[in-house]
Amino acid sequence: MNTLIDSADAAAAPLDDAVLAFDVGGTDMKVGLILGDVSQGEVEVRDLQRHPTPLDGARSGESVCARITELTAEYRQSHPQLNISAVGVTVPGIVDEAAGVGVYSANLGWHDFPFAATLTQSLGLPVGFGHDVGMAGEAEFRLGAAVGRSDVLVLVIGTGIAAAVMCDGRRVAGGGYAGEIGHAMVPGPDGKLAIMESLGSAGAIARRYTQATGEPVAGAREVLARAAAGDQTAENVWKDAVDALAFGVAQCVSILGTETVVLGGGLSMAGAPLFDALAARVDELLTFHRRPEYLHAALGENAGLIGSALKARSMRATENSPQPTVAQEPA
């Protein structure tokens, strides 16, 4: 099985060794202790908590880091038997993972904020920093549904749509801009181009049905249920969503050679009605290309936490690995 730990594979983590992982969202941040040798898939998530994300306009980066520092101290006090040896952090928006910078988040307010450097200084620990969906994709690729696959699209469909793209066994970063498939243009039902998530996301499905009928619905699942019961408007809205998603998947298959599509997020819980309809429509859009296999995400809502723990452990392993010595020539 592929792992993120390349430096001598790092010895299995001691039983009392933990990564404290944070998944920062627009409303709340999820935090939990990740125990076990995550490089081997032996993962336990302990003491999972949710806290309001401390938004503060342009200073949200600073306030988020301050809260992470506070919570790290609280977890250390609550779990004195554990050694928190690294911290993992995921955030939404545009992320430069190599530089450890949150480039831009429209919802949370930061621009070019140095998360990794700020937290490393305040915590004195290795910090694995990454994009929320990117890290969830890494976890599914290394430990979850896509283990053993090389060319994978991890598509998370919820209120919006985002993806992690794996090619030849590596995640495409694109300087932080790869994976924003929800903002890709797709053919709309009126013949004009539209943003994918304006048609295919769970939020869009519910919103478009309500706009067309004037009837509020609890969510996309209710629209699907109405479509199955013969509601023509619901059928049209659902078809538009599947068409939008299928166009994006077919583009990935034809351009990147995607062989596996892992579906996650709230809409993936629709199950066969989504999986079967998406596969059938993608098949219609392809010619000689290989048809991808569709899998349900295996790690659930903790995938981002686990992915950030993977990265944090790999960074710690790199820091702890012996450095090569350079022989000095005699003067």
Side-chain angles (χ1 to χ4, degrees):
M1 178 174 66
N2 292 323
T3 74
L4 287 178
I5 300 180
D6 297 323
S7 53
D9 259 5
L15 292 178
D16 64 348
D17 188 75
V19 173
L20 186 61
F22 295 83
D23 189 353
V24 180
T27 302
D28 59 17
M29 64 166 66
K30 186 163 53 177
V31 54
L33 290 159
I34 313 298
L35 285 80
D37 184 5
V38 292
S39 70
Q40 300 300 319
E42 300 168 1
V43 176
E44 177 190 353
V45 182
R46 187 180 297 180
D47 195 3
L48 187 65
Q49 301 179 15
R50 289 183 181 271
H51 297 271
T53 301
L55 301 181
D56 188 18
R59 290 188 54 80
S60 290
E62 288 89 344
S63 60
V64 165
C65 286
R67 186 63 176 135
I68 288 173
T69 301
E70 291 174 357
L71 286 168
T72 301
E74 292 176 13
Y75 268 82
R76 280 174 160 162
Q77 185 174 11
S78 300
H79 300 274
Q81 77 282 12
L82 297 178
N83 172 41
I84 297 176
S85 60
V87 168
V89 179
T90 70
V91 300
I94 305 301
V95 175
D96 185 339
E97 294 182 4
V101 171
V103 177
Y104 175 67
S105 173
N107 294 330
L108 282 78
W110 55 68
H111 291 262
D112 296 322
F113 186 79
F115 280 93
T118 302
L119 289 169
T120 299
Q121 182 175 13
S122 64
L123 298 173
L125 294 171
V127 175
F129 175 72
H131 185 268
D132 52 359
V133 174
M135 292 294 95
E138 288 276 12
E140 291 290 348
F141 185 62
R142 308 294 179 182
L143 305 176
V147 169
R149 314 300 175 100
S150 295
D151 300 293
V152 181
L153 176 69
V154 181
L155 187 61
V156 179
I157 313 169
T159 304
I161 300 174
V165 181
M166 315 291 176
C167 288
D168 296 330
R170 298 179 63 85
R171 180 162 58 94
V172 178
Y177 287 86
E180 293 293 336
I181 195 171
H183 287 266
M185 305 302 289
V186 301
D190 59 358
K192 298 179 181 179
L193 292 176
I195 293 173
M196 180 196 286
E197 69 180 23
S198 72
L199 298 170
S201 67
I205 291 169
R207 181 178 64 254
R208 294 186 71 236
Y209 181 83
T210 297
Q211 288 173 344
T213 64
E215 300 179 28
V217 290
R221 298 284 293 279
E222 183 177 341
V223 177
L224 179 56
R226 293 189 180 202
D231 184 322
Q232 187 61 55
T233 301
E235 289 180 16
N236 292 340
V237 169
W238 179 252
K239 178 182 180 301
D240 292 343
V242 171
D243 285 349
L245 295 169
F247 184 88
V249 171
Q251 292 290 90
C252 290
V253 172
S254 60
I255 296 170
L256 302 173
T258 299
E259 64 176 342
T260 304
V261 178
V262 176
L263 297 176
L267 193 62
S268 70
M269 301 307 295
L274 172 63
F275 282 66
D276 294 348
L278 181 60
R281 182 60 181 137
V282 170
D283 185 62
E284 293 173 353
L285 295 173
L286 298 175
T287 55
F288 60 85
H289 312 86
R290 61 184 176 185
R291 270 50 178 176
E293 182 178 2
Y294 300 85
L295 302 174
H296 199 285
L299 300 178
E301 64 177 3
N302 292 331
L305 294 176
I306 295 169
S308 68
L310 275 168
K311 185 167 187 179
R313 282 214 190 279
S314 70
M315 293 181 65
R316 190 197 64 177
T318 300
E319 289 187 3
N320 293 341
S321 61
Q323 299 300 310
T325 57
V326 178
Q328 299 293 323
E329 295 185 4

